[in-house]
Structure formats: structure tokens, C-alpha cells
Amino acid sequence: MNVDSQRAGRTGGRDARRAMRNAPVFDMLPALKRGIPTCDVMDEDQIARIDNASMAILEDVGIVFRDERALSQWRVAGADVRGERVHLDRGLVKQLISSIPSEWTYRARNPARNLNFGGKYSIFAPMGGAPYIRGLDNERRWATLADLQMLLKLTQMSPALHCTSHHIIEPMDVKVSYRHLDIAYSSIKYSDKMFMGMATTERNAEDVVKMAEIVFGPEVLETTPVITGNANCNSPLVWDELMLGAIRAFSSKNQPILCSPFALGGANTPASAAPTVAQLNAEALAGLSYTQVVRKGSPAIYGHFLATVSMKSGAPMAGTPEISLMNFMIGQMARHYGVPWRTSNLLGGAKSFDAQAGYESAMTLNAVLHAGANFIWHSAGWNEGGLQCSVAKFVVDADMCAMGYRMAEGVRWDDFDEAIQAVRDVGPGGHYLGHPHTQANFERGFYMPKLFDDKPFEQWQAEGSVEITARALSYAKRLLDEYQEPKLDEGIDEALKDFIAKRKREIPAEDALNTDR
């Protein structure tokens, strides 16, 4: 073999190895098993102080339940019901929440993507609910069903995203009354990861749970969580008919639901962190208790959506220090009660994918990981206070979740002895680049972000001075080009389509909420 052939062979081998390293890896990471300590900002006396304040709110002030069926159930359960206001004795609350499981395993359509959940286990899910999108052209516009399907494909291709959320964006081209059906079908069709179901009304929640039964079988749902809903408390201190009906739909079928007060610090809670947590805690406990009134032992998740309000503009703010502190506190309260909990992750108020978006999101990501949250929602795409999903930010956020995942796993010790031997082998003044330990560990030793640019300025400039938004959109297009649909069983697919067609015929009005029975 001549010199040119040898050189070509070596170059080809290097190029092949480089291409392999740069190729996207789509295998989903298992549920994060946290290996770092939680950041506990309260001592035992302060935990007791929050608990006592929350229980006093439940006993003395009460919670409004705007739903006759729920009020009847509370009377049977032994609560003090005065009109719509339910006063809950602390003993009753603690008895009820004691039957909520602390851990379980989610079953996905692809069994390889089943997820441990609760305790030390955490999962990431992308954002939900944006009516606007900054798409692959980086232009802001109303979102469509096709946009949702595109984002579900990106979720499927993102290793650190464990769940497809429910409506990452609002498909504004689909009628409100049956939008939940197309959203759920898209989640099932375009990804085989765990998914969420719309819980905006009791009938919507019943529909998506029925669709889960078609996929997995009713007998599976009786014993195994496969879908998750979300119910928001109207802070301060009101659970309404729509959300209580959604709780009934999920809990009665033994499926988890997030009981999430919608707290805007300073607007619908006190203008102080600790009292805000006390009110939010009371609201969450009321919702969690009701899940057990519906069905004892059904899985439920202590939830919240948390923002602080600018007293200059009245707008919600993200990435503020108090949000981090309150996440730490809420994590401690959830662990105090022995229930898994949900938080919101890469939030921000920026209008584009700019430095503000990055700073806000990074501040919250670090806080929720150190707070020990289990269901880490809104983990990709969130911009403009949740009104917009940015595709560029979506794929960068997904990589940020992978980085956060790696940090929260904790320090690896499995190669410690081999690495210390490398110190002996290399000695003073040497380098480690060619050492066998480096060759064996360079890909896992230090995380290499997919979309950050660490090249010298001159090289970056010579390659077109490409900023992160353009890099991210190019990467998103690459992911979509390489996406392969995880095929549904044909019989299940037909059954889902038949159910959707039937429900669309039955739902009475295209422009109304699906509430009629």
C-alpha cells in the first residue's frame, strides 16, 4: 500500500469516527435517578410552620369547591361543608393523602420507554399550551396541528425528554370542542413515549382516558399509570367544576393527575415567598385530598405553576430568585407529606430566543434540579410567558435538560481507579489525549453540548458567524429529516380513529367547551 493510500485510510477512519461522534443519538434516557442532595432551605421548625399555616387555612378559611358532586362527596367523607366552601380538618387531610403512592412506574407505548417515577426519580416533559409558535423559519405566528405534530417528532428524537406533554402548542386551526381528540391522537401516533391528556373539562378528560384504554386496554389502566392529567386550582382558594371533573375522570381510572395551584406571587397570593408557599400548599393539599375521596390509592402529584408578578407592569416574571426559593420550599413540603411533586422548568418572558431567554431558563433549571422535583414540566420551548413555543429554544432546551440530567446524576466513580492509574502513566508534563483511559472515556467523561459553539473566533467567523438560533433551527431540521414514525398497531389505530369520528359527531357545538354528557 502506498503512502497516499495509507493516509487516505487514516483520514477516512478519522472522518468516520468524527461522523459517528457527531451523529444524533435518539435513544431516550431512562428516568433521571438523582444522585445529588436536595437544597433544603427550611429547617424542621419552618416546615412545621408552613404546614400549620396551610392546615389553618384549610380549617378556618376553607376552600371553595364549585361543583355539586364534589360537595356531596366531601359531606360523605366527613368534611365541614358550608355552601360552596369546604373546611377540611387537618386530621382528615393527612389521612386522605397518606394513601397516595410515593412512587410508581409509567408504562409507555414502547415498553423500552417505561419510566420509574417518584422518590429519587424525575422525568422531563416539554412545554404546554402556547397559542403562538416561532417555527423553523423563526417567524412568530398562530400555531397549527401540523406544528404540534412537528414538535412531537422533535420530542421523540430528544433523549432527555421523557414525555410528550399534551398540547405543546394550541392547534388554533382545530375547533376547541374536539381539539383534545386530535391532540391526544397526535401524541399517540407520532411518539411512543409516555403522554399527557387534556383535562380542560371532565368530558375531555374522559375522552383522552378512553383513548388510553384503546391503546393499552382498560385492565392495564386499573393497575398501571399510562397517562397524566393536569388540574389547576384557581388561586386564591378555588377549585372549579371543570378541574374537579377532570380529577374525577383521571382518579376514578387510577391515572395520575397533577393538582396544580396557579400561583402568581403578589397577585393571587401574598407578596412574600413563605406565605405564598403556605397558601399554595393548602390549595394543593385540598386537590390531592379530593383525588383520594374519588378513589383511595389512586396516584396523584403535588403540582404548581409558579410565577412572580412585576409590580411595574403586572406581567408574570420567570427566573427570579424567589421562584427558586419557593421551589426549594415546595420540594421540602412534598417530601414532608411523602408525595411526588411537579414543577415548571425552562420558563422565560423573552419574546425571542435571546440572552434573556437563556438566563431566565438556566436560573430555573438549576433550581428545580436541586429542589428534587419529580415531574419537570415545561422543559422545552417556553418563551413569552408561555404564549409562544420557539422551535430553536425547544431543541436547545432539550439539550439543556440532558446537561441537567448529567449534573443531577452526580459524580461517577466507576472509572476512578483506572483514571488514577492514568496519572501514574502520564506523569509530570505529559498529556492525556492519547491515553487508553481518555480514549475509552472521552465521550462520557465530560458532556459535550450539541448546540453550543466553543470554536476559536476565527474559525467561527470563517464558517459564517452562525449564531445559536440558526444552529438550533438547522439541527431541528436535521432531526426531522431523520425522524422515523414509531408505527401504531393497525387495529389500535383504526379503533382510535373510529372513536374520534364518533366523538366528533356527538360533541354538540364546534365552538364550545366539551361539557355536555
Side-chain angles (χ1 to χ4, degrees), residues 100 205 209 221-222 227 229 231 243-259 287-301:
I100 296 173
V209 170
L221 271 67
E222 277 297 305
I227 185 173
M243 295 295 95
L244 293 167
I247 289 175
R248 283 194 294 271
F250 276 83
S251 295
S252 65
K253 294 292 186 176
N254 202 41
Q255 296 304 298
I257 190 159
L258 312 170
C259 296
L288 291 168
S289 297
Y290 184 61
T291 67
Q292 303 308 292
V293 170
V294 173
R295 178 167 174 166
K296 184 177 181 179
S298 61
I301 301 168

Side-chain angles (χ1 to χ4, degrees), residues 5-271:
S5 298
Q6 290 176 332
R7 184 179 297 115
R10 288 195 299 270
T11 303
R14 284 197 300 271
D15 289 345
R17 289 191 295 273
R18 185 179 300 112
M20 186 179 299
R21 288 196 299 271
N22 291 333
V25 176
F26 306 130
D27 293 338
M28 190 184 83
L29 294 166
L32 167 63
K33 185 176 183 180
R34 298 187 311 280
I36 58 174
T38 55
C39 181
D40 295 337
V41 296
M42 297 188 292
D43 60 28
E44 290 301 319
D45 289 341
Q46 290 164 332
I47 291 172
R49 192 172 181 185
I50 294 291
D51 177 68
N52 285 329
S54 299
M55 295 302 173
I57 291 170
L58 293 172
E59 290 174 335
D60 302 335
V61 181
I63 302 281
V64 168
F65 281 77
R66 289 186 179 147
D67 180 76
E68 283 301 324
R69 187 171 171 189
L71 292 171
S72 296
Q73 289 172 305
W74 274 124
R75 291 187 189 98
V76 173
D80 178 7
V81 180
R82 308 174 198 172
E84 288 188 331
R85 195 173 297 198
V86 178
H87 296 258
L88 295 171
D89 175 79
R90 66 188 64 200
L92 176 61
V93 170
K94 293 187 176 181
Q95 174 194 339
L96 288 168
I97 65 172
S98 68
S99 57
I100 296 173
S102 59
E103 299 184 43
W104 57 81
T105 299
Y106 275 109
R107 179 168 168 178
R109 181 159 74 82
N110 178 354
R113 302 183 188 276
N114 291 353
L115 293 164
N116 295 323
F117 180 78
K120 286 188 171 292
Y121 290 99
S122 302
I123 63 175
F124 295 95
M127 74 163 295
Y132 296 99
I133 187 171
R134 277 191 181 271
L136 292 167
D137 58 0
N138 203 35
E139 294 295 323
R140 182 182 183 274
R141 55 175 171 77
W142 287 115
T144 67
L145 184 62
D147 294 323
L148 173 63
Q149 292 165 354
M150 177 262 292
L151 291 163
L152 290 167
K153 293 173 184 179
L154 291 177
T155 302
Q156 176 74 1
M157 302 289 274
S158 300
L161 297 180
H162 298 104
C163 168
T164 59
S165 188
H166 39 55
H167 60 320
I168 301 172
I169 51 84
E170 285 280 358
M172 304 298 285
D173 56 338
V174 180
K175 298 296 184 181
V176 171
S177 58
Y178 51 73
R179 188 177 290 173
H180 64 290
L181 299 168
D182 292 326
I183 290 168
Y185 178 73
S186 297
S187 294
I188 294 165
K189 178 178 173 64
Y190 294 104
S191 176
D192 57 7
K193 297 181 178 182
M194 192 267 282
F195 66 104
M196 297 177 70
M198 294 286 288
T200 41
T201 72
E202 186 168 9
R203 291 295 281 132
N204 284 359
E206 289 172 348
D207 285 343
V208 296
V209 170
K210 177 61 179 177
M211 292 174 73
E213 288 181 335
I214 292 171
V215 175
F216 296 98
E219 70 286 349
V220 171
L221 271 67
E222 277 297 305
T223 59
T224 308
V226 303
I227 185 173
T228 301
N230 178 65
N232 288 118
C233 175
N234 295 324
S235 301
L237 306 174
V238 176
W239 281 96
D240 69 25
E241 179 181 12
L242 297 177
M243 295 295 95
L244 293 167
I247 289 175
R248 283 194 294 271
F250 276 83
S251 295
S252 65
K253 294 292 186 176
N254 202 41
Q255 296 304 298
I257 190 159
L258 312 170
C259 296
S260 304
F262 195 89
L264 300 172
N268 61 8
T269 74

